């Protein structure tokens, strides 16, 4: 088995196959294993959340009052320090699991040469070629970016770049009221940052029970989060080095120090040369699989974000297994 991608689906699929006695090669393009879950998604966002909840004294405010803080002025450096410690520890845990289960790993960009042949380019040496009876595509996803928006990684960011921030914004606007957008909106509002959420839909989180959503919306508004639903962003302009202005279809304008785009994800299949394996993807790069996670080519499987909803670490792990 060759597994392309070391996120939750890839690592769990590789380890499970190794436990069953198969020879497994795990291909990872990034310099550190773990995929988006470990470096830009689940682990970082939950680490930031816990760091913010602790440093802001959020959980104790009901007892000590709304002005209570564990640290008077929380900085981006405080959050990034805790994030690096957590990620480093998780990498060590994952490396130990792969080593203990005799999963071979190779660094480089994997792509198809043929349905059974994988090409691995690492940028230094000649490409390596691996023949495999079975292949698991677990390359995950990345934030989808509007083509007409310029991202400078400071004032205009996506959910990857926000983890590289050097200063906390005074106010921010989140475009996209999905799981990721609302998670970051709630995290930053706990730091007493003014947050505005913009989404073209009139209802939030359509896959959840309405009573839960109504209660959640009440809490968001109680925390000062402004929800602008049924609104779409027509254009974004930089005012200066610290501010941007968003013009909405309704004619309204929103100014902010930071604009976070969290309007969906794009599956990472566009650089795999999947056509050489006889595969095709939809407009978001997602692969279609059956109930056993087989693609249209029976010996090639796909799991995790690369096949779309629900795109959670927990479900991706189970799909990989």
């Amino acid at each position: 088995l060759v597994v392309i991608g070391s996120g939750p689906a890839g690592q769990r699929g590789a380890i499970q196959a190794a436990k069953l006695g198969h020879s497994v090669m795990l291909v990872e393009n990034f310099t550190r294993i773990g995929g988006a879950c470990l470096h830009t998604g689940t682990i970082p966002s939950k680490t930031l959340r816990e760091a913010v909840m602790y440093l802001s004294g959020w959980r104790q405010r009901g007892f000590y009052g709304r002005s209570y803080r564990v640290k008077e002025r929380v900085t981006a450096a405080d959050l990034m320090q805790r994030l690096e410690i957590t990620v480093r520890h998780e990498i060590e845990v994952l490396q130990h699991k792969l080593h203990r289960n005799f999963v071979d790993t190779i660094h480089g960009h994997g792509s198809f040469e043929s349905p059974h042949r994988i090409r691995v380019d690492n940028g230094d040496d000649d490409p390596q070629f691996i023949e495999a009876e079975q292949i698991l595509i677990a390359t995950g996803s990345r934030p989808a970016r509007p083509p007409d928006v310029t991202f400078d990684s400071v004032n205009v960011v996506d959910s990857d770049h926000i983890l590289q921030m050097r200063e906390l914004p005074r106010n921010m606007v989140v475009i996209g009221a999905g799981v990721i957008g609302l998670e970051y909106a709630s995290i930053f509002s706990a730091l007493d940052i003014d947050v505005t959420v913009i989404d073209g839909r009139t209802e939030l989180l359509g896959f959840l029970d309405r009573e839960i959503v109504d209660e959640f919306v009440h809490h968001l508004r109680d925390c000062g989060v402004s929800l602008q639903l049924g609104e779409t962003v027509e254009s974004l302009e930089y005012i200066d080095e610290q501010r941007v202005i968003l013009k909405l279809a309704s004619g309204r304008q929103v100014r902010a120090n930071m604009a976070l785009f969290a309007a969906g994800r794009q599956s990472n299949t566009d650089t795999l040369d999947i056509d050489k394996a006889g595969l095709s993807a939809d407009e978001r790069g997602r692969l279609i699989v059956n109930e056993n996670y087989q693609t249209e080519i029976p010996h090639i499987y796909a799991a995790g974000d690369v096949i779309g909803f629900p795109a959670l670490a927990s479900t991706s792990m189970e799909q990989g297994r």
Side-chain angles (χ1 to χ4, degrees):
L1 172 70
V2 164
V3 180
I4 308 176
S6 67
Q11 61 187 250
R12 292 308 194 279
I15 290 172
Q16 188 66 47
K19 287 181 182 293
L20 295 171
H22 297 285
S23 174
V24 183
M25 175 68 77
L26 180 64
V27 181
E28 173 54 53
N29 186 34
F30 193 52
T31 52
R32 300 193 292 181
I33 59 175
C37 169
L38 181 51
H39 298 287
T40 60
T42 307
I43 300 297
S45 65
K46 303 307 174 289
T47 301
L48 285 183
R49 177 186 181 276
E50 289 304 309
V52 166
M53 295 292 277
Y54 170 71
L55 292 172
S56 67
W58 183 264
R59 291 189 177 98
Q60 289 76 38
R61 289 184 188 179
F63 185 75
Y64 293 110
R66 302 191 78 158
S67 63
Y68 176 76
R69 304 284 185 281
V70 171
K71 190 174 190 293
E72 189 59 36
R73 184 171 179 269
V74 180
T75 66
D78 295 326
L79 304 179
M80 295 304 107
Q81 180 186 26
R82 285 160 173 78
L83 179 58
E84 179 60 29
I85 292 170
T86 302
V87 169
R88 197 183 315 127
H89 171 72
E90 290 296 320
I91 289 174
E92 291 175 358
V93 171
L94 176 54
Q95 286 176 328
H96 177 65
K97 284 181 180 178
L98 295 173
H99 179 74
R100 193 177 68 216
N101 287 282
F102 304 102
V103 174
D104 294 322
T105 59
I106 182 172
H107 169 62
H109 172 69
S111 60
F112 284 94
E113 278 286 304
S114 70
H116 283 278
R117 188 173 170 86
I118 298 296
R119 172 191 176 113
V120 181
D121 294 281
N122 60 20
D124 297 328
D125 308 314
D126 293 332
Q128 294 180 258
F129 296 92
I130 308 169
E131 297 280 346
E133 292 179 24
Q134 314 285 334
I135 296 168
L136 170 59
I137 301 173
T139 47
S141 64
R142 63 184 184 273
R145 289 184 166 192
D148 55 342
V149 174
T150 301
F151 288 76
D152 66 352
S153 303
V154 179
N155 302 114
V156 181
V157 301
D158 57 27
S159 56
D160 286 1
H161 287 135
I162 202 167
L163 301 172
Q164 302 163 11
M165 61 183 175
R166 296 184 178 179
E167 292 184 8
L168 294 176
R170 293 177 63 87
N171 48 63
M172 71 183 298
V173 57
V174 178
I175 300 92
V179 172
I180 296 173
L182 290 174
E183 181 176 34
Y184 277 113
S186 62
I187 288 172
F188 282 93
S189 70
L191 291 171
D192 298 319
I193 293 170
D194 291 331
V195 179
T196 300
V197 178
I198 299 172
D199 196 283
R201 294 164 291 191
T202 55
E203 288 190 345
L204 300 179
L205 307 175
F207 56 90
L208 287 180
D209 179 272
R210 288 297 89 195
E211 189 176 355
I212 293 175
V213 173
D214 290 343
E215 189 67 14
F216 176 56
V217 169
H218 167 74
H219 279 286
L220 281 177
R221 287 189 164 134
D222 188 53
C223 295
V225 176
S226 173
L227 296 174
Q228 306 292 331
L229 302 181
E231 291 273 17
T232 55
V233 177
E234 281 205 333
S235 64
L236 180 149
E237 297 175 8
Y238 288 82
I239 301 175
D240 51 37
E241 294 181 353
Q242 294 185 322
R243 292 179 300 165
V244 295
I245 183 169
L246 292 93
K247 297 180 180 178
L248 309 183
S250 64
R252 298 182 65 249
Q253 296 184 353
V254 180
R255 297 171 184 246
N257 296 128
M258 178 184 286
L260 166 63
F261 279 82
R265 306 278 295 181
Q266 178 79 28
S267 294
N268 296 322
T269 54
D270 50 335
T271 60
L272 294 179
D273 292 332
I274 58 174
D275 55 312
K276 293 182 179 179
L279 298 174
S280 58
D282 67 9
E283 72 283 352
R284 285 272 177 142
R286 293 170 296 209
L287 298 172
I288 297 174
V289 295
N290 64 16
E291 68 275 11
N292 297 315
Y293 302 99
Q294 289 172 294
T295 63
E296 52 211 294
I297 307 300
H299 74 275
I300 301 178
Y301 297 76
D305 283 20
V306 81
I307 66 172
F309 185 85
L312 301 169
S314 53
T315 53
S316 297
M317 289 177 186
E318 190 60 20
Q319 290 168 7
R321 294 190 191 100

